[in-house]
Amino acid sequence: MTPVRAAAWRHFCRLALAVMLAVGGGLYLFIVTVDPWDVLPFSPRLPRIPVTSNARYTMPALARDPRFDSVMLGTSTSRLIQPAVMDRALGTHFLNMAMNSASPWEQARELGTFLRAHPAPRIVMIGVDAAWCHERPGSLTSPNRPWPEWMYGHPAWTGYLHMASLYALQEAANQFLWLTGQKKQRFGTDGYTSFVPPDDRYDQLRGRVQAAFDHWSPPDNSPAPPGMADTPPATMALLDSMVGRMPASTIRILWFPPASAFLHGTAGGIAAARLQACRLGVERIAAHQPNVVALDFNHDSALTENRDNFWDPLHYRMPTAQRVMTDMGAVIHGKPPADPALDILHDPPGLPRMDR
């Protein structure tokens, strides 16, 4: 290579490096200025909203929001409980932190983040479903989806170390498009977003509902080992510790979201024994912790045996969610529930009743 060509090549490399640094630095500055997940301590105060489909990235900022005094935790089976409806019934300000496929470990991490900002919440609701009743490997020690651990309990400045990624750039672009009026809001600022089709389309979609039931894996109806129904799952220890982290003044609602009776299994089978053991574990927690209400919508009843109440064996319709919310409000107010499908496992007589 001649000296002239070598000099030209060095000039090109320096120019390319300068351009890459300028572009990369500009993109990084754009990301940390927009702050897509509202977690950075020095970003401008902008009216940000949740923009990321993986709620694990959006919940930490909502958990720190001073607007809220109560929280809902759970998986997708708790996502249709609407904060606005419960707030009107109970005079609260709920945040729904339920997430698709949230493991017990993830729910505990969410609760810890909420309690750091709200050490004395008025009400904490935890949906007890298959995530708690099935002892899956890793459910007590790891997340089920990509998890931004740096957002949960770590110094806020560490967020700057995680913003140099294509994912952060993508979500910063989504946040920027919303801030500039070029993108519609998809996810609620109280954590609630309906993920089921509009209920008025149910009759049109009956074929899809039937297909969901036909293709769903059946429950394990093989004979249960002796004593299985009397042995609460190991997850109950974590649930008990979560309940114990709250002050005694907090009303704790442990509730079993309704699932189709199709999933309950047959008497004497493993699925039925597993569900019964889970109920027993929740009853024991409620018996020794203060102000715990335990409600079971997930047993054989007219509600769960009617497939028209569900979109698939696990996820119920909006009218079913309304029934659940109405009965929860009634119990907290000390009134009898309207729906005979509700099984009240524990309702302490000294429970503080909420004012509207």
Side-chain angles (χ1 to χ4, degrees):
M1 182 180 293
T2 65
V4 174
R5 293 186 63 184
W9 180 247
R10 287 194 297 271
H11 175 72
F12 171 79
C13 289
R14 286 194 294 267
L15 180 62
L17 179 60
V19 170
M20 287 188 290
L21 289 175
V23 172
L27 291 175
Y28 181 77
L29 182 61
F30 170 73
I31 295 170
V32 299
T33 300
V34 174
D35 187 7
W37 300 301
D38 199 15
V39 293
L40 300 177
F42 303 115
S43 60
R45 292 188 175 276
L46 300 173
R48 299 175 182 86
I49 62 168
V51 295
T52 302
S53 58
N54 184 351
R56 290 149 178 83
Y57 285 81
T58 64
M59 290 304 173
L62 294 178
R64 292 189 292 270
D65 194 320
R67 291 180 299 148
F68 303 114
D69 59 25
S70 302
V71 67
M72 309 170 185
L73 300 168
T75 69
S76 58
T77 60
S78 296
R79 283 187 59 193
L80 292 185
I81 304 302
Q82 300 175 57
V85 173
M86 298 302 291
D87 290 348
R88 287 194 296 270
L90 301 175
T92 48
H93 298 284
F94 263 108
L95 167 64
N96 189 332
M97 296 185 75
M99 305 185 302
N100 292 350
S101 300
S103 69
W105 181 87
E106 289 175 295
Q107 294 181 47
R109 299 290 284 131
E110 284 189 292
L111 178 62
T113 302
F114 187 83
L115 290 179
R116 278 190 291 275
H118 311 275
R122 297 182 68 189
I123 301 179
V124 173
M125 292 172 50
I126 303 176
V128 183
D129 61 4
W132 289 99
C133 297
H134 295 200
E135 296 184 44
R136 295 189 173 95
S139 65
L140 295 174
T141 57
S142 61
N144 284 333
R145 301 275 174 89
W147 176 265
E149 175 60 26
W150 53 274
M151 290 188 185
Y152 292 82
H154 295 268
W157 65 265
T158 61
Y160 288 98
L161 304 176
H162 299 270
M163 290 297 175
S165 71
L166 291 177
Y167 191 53
L169 176 60
Q170 169 190 290
E171 298 310 291
N174 286 331
Q175 188 73 257
F176 179 78
L177 289 174
W178 181 82
L179 288 167
T180 56
Q182 301 176 66
K183 187 179 181 70
K184 291 183 178 180
Q185 181 172 347
R186 179 183 174 190
F187 305 107
T189 52
D190 59 4
Y192 171 76
T193 301
S194 176
F195 63 97
V196 296
D199 207 74
D200 58 9
R201 296 188 58 206
Y202 187 81
D203 288 340
Q204 304 170 33
L205 298 174
R206 281 182 181 275
R208 194 175 87 174
V209 174
Q210 185 59 48
F213 274 87
D214 290 342
H215 292 94
W216 203 275
S217 298
D220 187 349
N221 289 319
S222 55
M228 182 178 180
D230 302 319
T231 307
T235 53
M236 291 295 105
L238 177 58
L239 184 60
D240 191 22
S241 70
M242 289 169 63
V243 171
R245 294 179 64 181
M246 309 166 207
S249 59
T250 297
I251 296 175
R252 280 66 65 89
I253 302 176
L254 305 180
W255 69 290
F256 290 84
S260 170
F262 165 80
L263 295 180
H264 297 168
T266 57
I270 285 180
R274 181 185 291 127
L275 187 56
Q276 182 55 38
C278 206
R279 290 193 188 103
L280 178 61
V282 167
E283 288 178 329
R284 289 179 178 177
I285 292 172
H288 82 90
Q289 295 276 10
N291 292 337
V292 177
V293 177
L295 307 175
D296 183 12
F297 294 91
N298 191 32
H299 56 92
D300 291 342
S301 67
L303 172 67
T304 61
E305 291 170 357
N306 184 355
R307 288 192 175 186
D308 283 343
N309 290 324
F310 300 90
W311 285 104
D312 60 45
L314 191 61
H315 300 107
Y316 44 86
R317 295 172 57 188
M318 288 304 303
T320 305
Q322 185 60 57
R323 291 169 64 174
V324 168
M325 292 186 285
T326 298
D327 279 343
M328 281 186 178
V331 171
I332 300 305
H333 281 296
K335 300 177 181 178
D339 195 336
L342 174 60
D343 185 4
I344 302 177
L345 302 178
H346 189 76
D347 183 15
L351 185 76
R353 302 302 171 180
M354 306 297 292
D355 295 325
R356 291 182 184 274

